Every structure is written in structure tokens, then in C-alpha cells.
């Protein structure tokens, strides 16, 4: 069965650089979510999209933005990276109020 | 904060024993979902239990939900070394976002 695809799997950036993470949801899932998981922490919700419109927003810094495209894939754009942005970034997809299936994550390291 | 609690934070058992992890939450829910995460890896979906359900089974997993106490438990029976992982509960309320608990780190010793 198709799963959520995330790219890249690993990313190393310098402080103040920008990063773009991509997510390809499971086919026919109309909702995409982004979560951030710091070392030893639980995942924290960042933002979600339903049918290409932002549906909810969590603790997402103003330096981050995201969008969902016509083919339902989503991108998380992160600018002016800080050391504290180093984390695992997960994308998940679902049909509303059903199981959220997570991708393998992108490990971002900011040096 | 909507975040709930999980206990214990860490659990160490022998292979073949049962493992029980508990999750409490604060607000009303639409459903509660349990996930497994091996160290630094992805989140694997285990079970979703809806607010009008009391118990659900999947293989060696049994999840219960008590909405009056705002609590859920995950039971893994006949544990195996491969069950070693962190287990998270995540509540989904009026908003579709998941609010995760702190997780329970399970170690199953061979």
C-alpha cells in the first residue's frame, strides 16, 4: 500500500539558511499535516491543509510557511534557520477524523 | 495546555510478559490514536479508538477508552523484543490536529 512520502530524508543546513521540505500524501487523502519533533520530545503540530486550504495552525514560527499544491503534495518552507530548528519533521495525511498516517520524516540539522 | 499525560514514562519487562501503558487527556475528544516509534524513526499507526467506543483489539494489542475518566490504556500481550519502542497516544478533538502525550519508552528484554 502507498505510504506518505517525504523528501529529503536528511538535510544539513547552516544558520540563517533556508530549507524546503516536501510531502506527498497517500492517494485520495485530502488533508495534510506537518509536525515537528525535537530530540527526546513528542511531536508538535505545526500546520494542516484540507483541500489545498490551510485548515489549522499550531506553534509554527513566522519564519516557516507551508502550502498544499493542486496535486495535493505539500511543502514546508523554513527561512532564517536557527540551531533550535534542528528536529525531525513529519508529514501526515488522512481522510478527516480518521487515522493519520505519518511519513518517515525529514531529519533537519542546523549547524 | 491540551496535552495529556502518559504513564509510566519508561517500562522494562521480560519477553512474554504483558505491557500496559496509560494515557490521560484533558479535553473532549473525537478519537484517540496510538502510535509506535522506534528510536529516531517514523511514527507507526497502531489503533484508532473513537469516543463512542470502549475497547478495540488488533492482534496482540488491546486499547480501552474511558471518556468519563478521560483516559485510555494500551495493552501489549505476550511481548517480544521487537516491541521495544516508544509508544505515544494522540488525542484528536474538534480540530483535526493530533495532540500527543509525552510517550512511554518500552524495553522488552529477551
Amino acid at each position: 500500500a502507498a505510504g506518505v512520502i517525504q523528501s529529503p530524508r536528511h538535510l544539513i543546513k547552516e544558520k540563517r539558511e533556508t530549507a524546503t521540505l516536501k510531502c506527498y500524501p497517500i492517494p485520495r487523502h485530502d488533508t495534510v499535516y506537518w509536525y515537528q519533533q525535537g530530540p527526546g520530545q513528542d511531536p508538535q503540530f505545526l500546520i494542516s491543509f484540507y483541500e489545498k486550504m490551510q485548515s489549522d495552525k499550531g506553534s509554527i514560527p513566522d519564519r516557516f510557511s507551508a502550502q498544499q499544491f493542486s496535486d495535493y503534495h505539500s511543502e514546508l518552507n523554513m527561512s532564517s534557520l536557527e540551531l533550535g530548528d534542528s528536529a525531525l519533521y513529519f508529514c501526515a495525511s488522512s481522510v478527516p477524523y480518521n487515522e493519520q498516517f505519518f511519513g518517515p520524516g525529514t531529519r533537519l540539522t542546523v549547524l | 495546555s491540551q496535552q495529556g499525560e502518559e504513564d509510566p514514562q519508561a517500562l522494562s519487562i521480560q519477553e512474554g510478559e504483558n505491557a500496559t501503558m496509560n494515557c490521560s487527556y484533558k479535553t473532549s475528544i473525537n478519537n484517540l490514536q496510538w502510535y509506535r516509534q522506534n528510536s529516531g524513526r517514523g511514527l507507526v499507526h497502531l489503533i484508532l479508538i473513537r469516543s463512542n467506543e470502549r475497547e478495540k483489539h488488533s492482534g496482540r494489542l488491546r486499547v480501552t477508552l474511558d471518556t468519563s475518566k478521560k483516559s485510555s490504556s494500551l495493552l501489549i500481550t505476550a511481548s517480544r523484543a521487537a516491541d521495544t519502542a516508544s509508544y505515544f497516544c494522540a488525542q484528536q478533538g474538534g480540530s483535526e490536529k493530533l495532540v500527543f502525550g509525552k510517550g512511554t519508552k518500552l524495553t522488552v528484554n529477551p
Side-chain angles (χ1 to χ4, degrees), chain B residues 12-16 80-81 84 107-110:
Chain B
S12 182
I13 60 174
Q14 296 298 124
E15 232 175 2
R80 305 166 181 168
T84 295
T107 302
V108 182
N109 301 298

Side-chain angles (χ1 to χ4, degrees), chain A residues 1-6 24-29 93-94 100-104:
Chain A
V4 177
I5 298 171
Q6 289 188 247
Y24 297 85
I26 293 171
R28 291 180 294 283
H29 280 192
S93 74
S94 78
Q100 282 189 28
F101 293 100
F102 282 70

Side-chain angles (χ1 to χ4, degrees), chain B residues 37-93:
Chain B
Q37 184 178 39
N38 291 85
S39 181
R41 307 289 292 274
L43 290 150
V44 176
H45 191 276
L46 297 176
I47 287 185
L48 178 153
I49 187 164
R50 299 193 186 279
S51 59
N52 61 351
E53 297 174 313
R54 292 297 165 259
E55 190 170 310
K56 243 180 154 173
H57 298 253
S58 176
R60 294 183 295 112
L61 306 181
R62 174 181 164 239
V63 166
T64 61
L65 179 65
D66 186 336
T67 53
S68 66
K69 295 180 180 177
K70 289 188 167 59
S71 68
S72 175
S73 67
L74 170 67
L75 168 68
I76 304 174
T77 60
S79 63
R80 305 166 181 168
D83 295 327
T84 295
S86 290
Y87 291 82
F88 292 93
C89 68
Q91 62 187 90
Q92 187 175 59

Side-chain angles (χ1 to χ4, degrees), chain A residues 9 31 33 35 37 40-45 48 50 55-58 88 90 94-105 107, chain B residues 3 6 30-31 33 35 37 39-48 50 56 88 92-103:
Chain A
R9 295 291 307 276
T31 308
Y33 314 80
Y35 293 85
Q37 186 179 29
Q41 304 294 314
D42 52 283
Q44 296 289 319
F45 171 75
S48 63
Y50 170 70
S55 54
D56 200 356
K57 199 171 181 181
L88 265 171
F90 289 108
S94 78
V95 173
Y97 296 105
N98 281 280
E99 293 87 348
Q100 282 189 28
F101 293 100
F102 282 70
R107 183 175 296 279
Chain B
Q3 188 171 37
E6 285 187 62
N30 182 285
N31 64 65
Q33 304 186 37
Y35 290 86
Q37 184 178 39
S39 181
R41 307 289 292 274
L43 290 150
V44 176
H45 191 276
L46 297 176
I47 287 185
L48 178 153
R50 299 193 186 279
K56 243 180 154 173
F88 292 93
Q92 187 175 59
S95 158
E96 288 189 58
K97 69 182 181 189
L98 292 177
V99 178
F100 284 81
K102 294 288 187 190

Side-chain angles (χ1 to χ4, degrees), chain A residues 12-71:
Chain A
I12 299 175
K13 291 285 184 179
E14 300 277 342
K15 278 194 309 185
R16 293 180 287 279
E17 285 191 323
T18 61
T20 297
L21 310 185
K22 295 185 179 183
C23 168
Y24 297 85
I26 293 171
R28 291 180 294 283
H29 280 192
D30 50 18
T31 308
V32 167
Y33 314 80
W34 287 96
Y35 293 85
Q36 177 192 57
Q37 186 179 29
Q41 304 294 314
D42 52 283
Q44 296 289 319
F45 171 75
L46 292 177
I47 196 166
S48 63
F49 293 87
Y50 170 70
E51 286 290 343
K52 293 156 279 184
M53 298 288 289
Q54 181 181 310
S55 54
D56 200 356
K57 199 171 181 181
S59 307
I60 183 169
D62 291 341
R63 300 176 289 108
F64 294 7
S65 65
Q67 57 183 322
Q68 187 178 29
F69 295 86
S70 58
D71 64 352

